[in-house]
Amino acid sequence: AQSVTQLDSHVSVSEGTPVLLRCNYSSSYSPSLFWYVQHPNKGLQLLLKYTSAATLVKGINGFEAEFKKSETSFHLTKPSAHMSDAAEYFCVVSDRSGYSTLTFGKGTMLLVSP
Amino acid sequence: DAGITQSPRYKITETGRQVTLMCHQTWSHSYMFWYRQDLGHGLRLIYYSAAADITDKGEVPDGYVVSRSKTENFPLTLESATRSQTSVYFCATSSASSYNEQFFGPGTRLTVL
């Protein structure tokens, strides 16, 4: 069984300040982990993915995430927020043993103020 | 390269009516998925398909029917729409070699009155 918990439903930051979106996961097997972003009235876009290589994963638009097995976490960070980062972010887990469907977190809305 | 398209993008219907949402992909990906997105629930899997003529239930399949006679199409039918099926529906695809990485369509916003 697999599950994912996004610890904050909303995060507010000022433009130019760091972003931290928190995600904890549970998985019976070695997991694949993803972050997706959804801008208003748009589909989901893959930001980055972890599949077993380097634990620090770099994605698009300056985002990165670190896989920490001991903490079962996969937090998303960005050093400096931009207004265009305002969107909803989803942490997603999938078991890597054979084919497995994705399990989505409930999402974190990132608000960026000038 | 259209990738993945969904139609219609917006639909309003009445309770009890049959509605079909279309999903079409140009990548020849083996896997296709239907999700619904509701406030406070994230995305929940309705049905998925590993190949033509192979489909399986997801987390919330009740009230929905799918078929996949061709690799590129994966229609989702609400046989008798209910108000609780008001939602945004997303289709997604993934390849057999990278089956855990999914690509999403733009979504269909369905309102059932």
Side-chain angles (χ1 to χ4, degrees):
Chain A
Q2 58 196 32
S3 66
V4 61
T5 301
Q6 293 185 241
L7 298 168
D8 306 292
S9 60
H10 292 80
V11 170
S12 295
V13 301
S14 299
E15 192 173 23
T17 63
V19 175
L20 169 64
L21 305 184
R22 300 181 294 165
C23 172
N24 287 116
Y25 71 91
S26 171
S27 177
S28 302
Y29 301 96
S30 298
S32 292
L33 292 157
F34 307 82
W35 278 98
Y36 281 85
V37 61
Q38 184 181 28
H39 288 92
N41 299 314
K42 300 288 187 183
L44 279 76
Q45 180 185 17
L46 181 66
L47 265 183
L48 51 80
K49 62 179 179 179
Y50 165 80
T51 55
S52 78
T55 56
L56 182 62
V57 181
K58 294 187 183 298
I60 61 172
N61 299 332
F63 284 93
E64 61 182 39
E66 186 172 7
F67 173 69
K68 291 187 176 181
K69 186 175 181 179
S70 61
E71 299 176 9
T72 61
S73 69
F74 191 58
H75 301 334
L76 182 70
T77 61
K78 183 174 181 177
S80 176
H82 191 272
M83 294 297 290
S84 62
D85 294 328
E88 189 159 23
Y89 293 79
F90 293 95
C91 183
V92 182
V93 65
S94 176
D95 286 334
R96 274 190 286 120
S97 59
Y99 181 76
S100 173
T101 56
L102 302 183
T103 298
F104 285 76
K106 294 186 177 181
T108 297
M109 184 66 71
L110 177 64
L111 307 169
V112 183
S113 57
Chain B
D1 182 3
I4 179 169
T5 56
Q6 293 184 236
S7 61
R9 293 294 314 280
Y10 302 91
K11 177 74 176 178
I12 299 175
T13 191
E14 296 177 339
T15 55
R17 289 191 182 268
Q18 183 179 82
V19 177
T20 296
L21 309 184
M22 301 301 298
C23 178
H24 175 78
Q25 56 134 338
T26 59
W27 294 317
S28 299
H29 283 173
S30 300
Y31 291 90
M32 296 188 75
F33 309 84
W34 275 106
Y35 294 90
R36 60 177 290 172
Q37 183 179 30
D38 304 289
L39 270 177
H41 289 281
L43 272 76
R44 292 180 292 176
L45 183 65
I46 304 171
Y47 270 96
Y48 66 101
S49 168
D53 298 322
I54 301 175
T55 62
D56 208 348
K57 295 179 180 179
E59 181 185 354
V60 289
D62 293 343
Y64 303 94
V65 174
V66 294
S67 61
R68 195 169 175 203
S69 57
K70 294 183 178 181
T71 300
E72 61 268 29
N73 296 323
F74 191 40
L76 175 74
T77 298
L78 289 66
E79 293 191 304
S80 178
T82 66
R83 289 184 180 175
S84 65
Q85 292 177 309
T86 292
S87 187
V88 181
Y89 291 85
F90 287 99
C91 180
T93 71
S94 66
S95 68
S97 60
S98 180
Y99 46 66
N100 286 338
E101 181 176 345
Q102 295 183 13
F103 299 87
F104 285 81
T108 294
R109 184 175 294 275
L110 176 67
T111 301
V112 183
L113 301 177

